[in-house]
Amino acid sequence: MDCDYKEYELFVQKLFQAIIYAGENGIQKNIKVEHDKKILDNAGIERQFDIYWKYELAGIEYETIIECKNYSSKVTVERIDALIGKLHDLPNIKGIFATTQGYQAGAVKKAEQNNIELLVVRKEKDDDWMDEDGNPLIKKIIINMIALSRPRITKLNIYIKKEDIDNSQQIDFATPSMVLDNEVTIVDKYNKEEYSIYDGAVKNKFHLDLQDNKTYGDIHTKEIIFEDAYYKRKGMWQKIHKLKIEYVIDKPVEQEVVVEMFIDGVVEYLFKRKKSFVTRDGRVFHRQ
């Protein structure tokens, strides 16, 4: 005796719509899988089928139906006979039978003789995640992500040797407001680099890191001595000797990311000896 028949039929419809949409043939994306389809046979009798779809390829129309039975026991040969009888006056339609618990031996033999495809369509089970040798397959991946904070400069001083001072300019970069200034450029001729104060902080060109006696959130100090470098601002140049930087590195942010495969349903093809898995987001993968 069947139970929740309509719910099961809609379940099968949903899985096959996903499988067809994911097919390799582009035309399949336009196929609509219908539920509770009524068709007139060659004798003019209206026949009802649980699942139905059709498509046209190279001028030829192909039709398929699925008879769904949510039984608590295996399908008998009599049920296969009943489907064969319904299809007798619809010779161009491909017949498929779907159930949850499998088929008796006589039903399998009768279906094979009459070109009826047999499926077991169900929810996933634990052994779906094992290979033929009983080894577990990967279903869930847990990733511990750590986002490292870039150094945050709180104070920057530029030092100039007395003999290099240009008295026409006043130099004062000791305030945090100047730290991320795009207009102030460091031209390091010795190392053949040029970057703004902003790039130096954001891209960590100053090689700022934690010191042994410091921790996250503490003030760190770094002095950078240049062999041959200049600062440039608004077209004005000045040779510099040293940068003294005070900075903070904030504690990294940790987050656990779980990537898990959620299976909506499984389709077992008895004669082809393969399975199709449909995920909750409509993706499909197959396994022998």
Side-chain angles (χ1 to χ4, degrees):
M1 181 177 181
D2 55 349
C3 58
D4 298 327
Y5 68 92
K6 185 175 182 180
E7 182 180 346
Y8 182 64
E9 290 168 8
L10 293 174
F11 172 68
V12 175
Q13 177 194 23
K14 179 182 177 181
L15 296 189
F16 270 89
Q17 186 67 77
I19 291 171
I20 288 173
Y21 187 82
E24 296 179 358
N25 189 344
I27 194 173
Q28 291 180 316
K29 294 185 181 296
N30 298 319
I31 297 174
K32 180 181 178 182
V33 178
E34 300 181 54
H35 173 248
D36 192 20
K37 180 71 173 180
K38 294 177 176 60
I39 305 172
L40 287 178
D41 65 16
N42 292 341
I45 300 172
E46 186 177 76
R47 297 291 188 173
Q48 183 273 341
F49 296 100
D50 299 329
I51 307 296
Y52 169 86
W53 69 84
K54 69 176 179 179
Y55 65 96
E56 185 177 304
L57 183 62
I60 300 175
E61 196 171 73
Y62 297 86
E63 296 178 276
T64 303
I65 62 91
I66 303 180
E67 195 81 342
C68 304
K69 298 298 178 185
N70 187 12
Y71 290 159
S72 58
S73 59
K74 292 185 177 183
V75 173
T76 64
V77 67
E78 286 78 16
R79 292 297 181 182
I80 303 300
D81 281 337
L83 178 57
I84 294 170
K86 286 176 70 175
L87 292 173
H88 181 268
D89 289 315
L90 291 165
N92 296 323
I93 292 182
K94 170 66 177 177
I96 301 174
F97 206 105
T99 188
T100 56
Q101 301 299 322
Y103 303 84
Q104 293 181 1
V108 174
K109 185 175 181 180
K110 192 64 175 285
E112 193 171 19
Q113 290 173 343
N114 289 272
N115 197 30
I116 302 293
E117 190 77 36
L118 297 185
L119 310 177
V120 173
V121 183
R122 54 173 176 76
K123 294 291 185 179
E124 67 170 321
K125 300 184 297 186
D126 290 341
D127 59 8
D128 288 324
W129 296 98
M130 294 183 180
D131 63 17
E132 294 180 353
D133 298 323
N135 300 312
L137 302 172
I138 295 176
K139 181 180 180 181
K140 180 191 292 187
I141 300 174
I142 299 176
I143 304 171
N144 291 316
M145 298 183 66
I146 300 177
L148 299 177
S149 302
R150 64 173 177 81
R152 179 164 46 88
I153 297 177
T154 58
K155 188 175 182 180
L156 182 145
N157 290 91
I158 293 179
Y159 292 82
I160 301 173
K161 289 182 178 181
K162 288 183 178 180
E163 58 268 28
D164 295 329
I165 292 178
D166 183 343
N167 292 322
S168 66
Q169 301 183 65
Q170 181 181 358
I171 302 168
D172 181 13
F173 294 132
T175 59
S177 62
M178 301 299 295
V179 168
L180 300 182
D181 195 337
N182 270 319
E183 295 181 359
V184 179
T185 303
I186 302 295
V187 180
D188 187 345
K189 292 188 175 182
Y190 182 82
N191 291 311
K192 298 180 181 179
E193 285 189 305
E194 180 175 336
Y195 47 85
S196 69
I197 295 295
Y198 179 87
D199 286 334
V202 173
K203 299 179 181 178
N204 201 13
K205 289 182 175 292
F206 300 131
H207 304 292
L208 307 179
D209 53 18
L210 287 176
Q211 297 173 1
D212 292 338
N213 61 340
K214 300 289 183 180
T215 58
Y216 293 114
D218 286 349
I219 298 293
H220 306 267
T221 303
K222 178 84 176 270
E223 291 188 354
I224 304 167
I225 298 176
F226 297 98
E227 293 289 337
D228 184 16
Y230 299 79
Y231 88 86
K232 179 176 67 173
R233 190 181 191 196
K234 295 182 179 179
M236 302 178 68
W237 292 71
Q238 175 65 60
K239 188 171 184 179
I240 61 175
H241 169 60
K242 180 174 68 175
L243 291 181
K244 184 177 180 181
I245 300 172
E246 290 184 4
Y247 64 98
V248 173
I249 298 181
D250 296 319
K251 187 177 180 179
V253 177
E254 297 186 24
Q255 182 179 5
E256 182 179 273
V257 178
V258 179
V259 180
E260 185 172 1
M261 185 77 72
F262 290 101
I263 301 299
D264 201 22
V266 180
V267 178
E268 296 184 49
Y269 301 82
L270 268 64
F271 296 140
K272 298 177 181 177
R273 298 185 180 277
K274 75 170 187 176
K275 297 179 182 179
S276 293
F277 297 81
V278 180
T279 65
R280 290 182 186 175
D281 57 0
R283 290 176 293 138
V284 179
F285 63 96
H286 309 281
R287 198 171 80 224
Q288 292 294 333

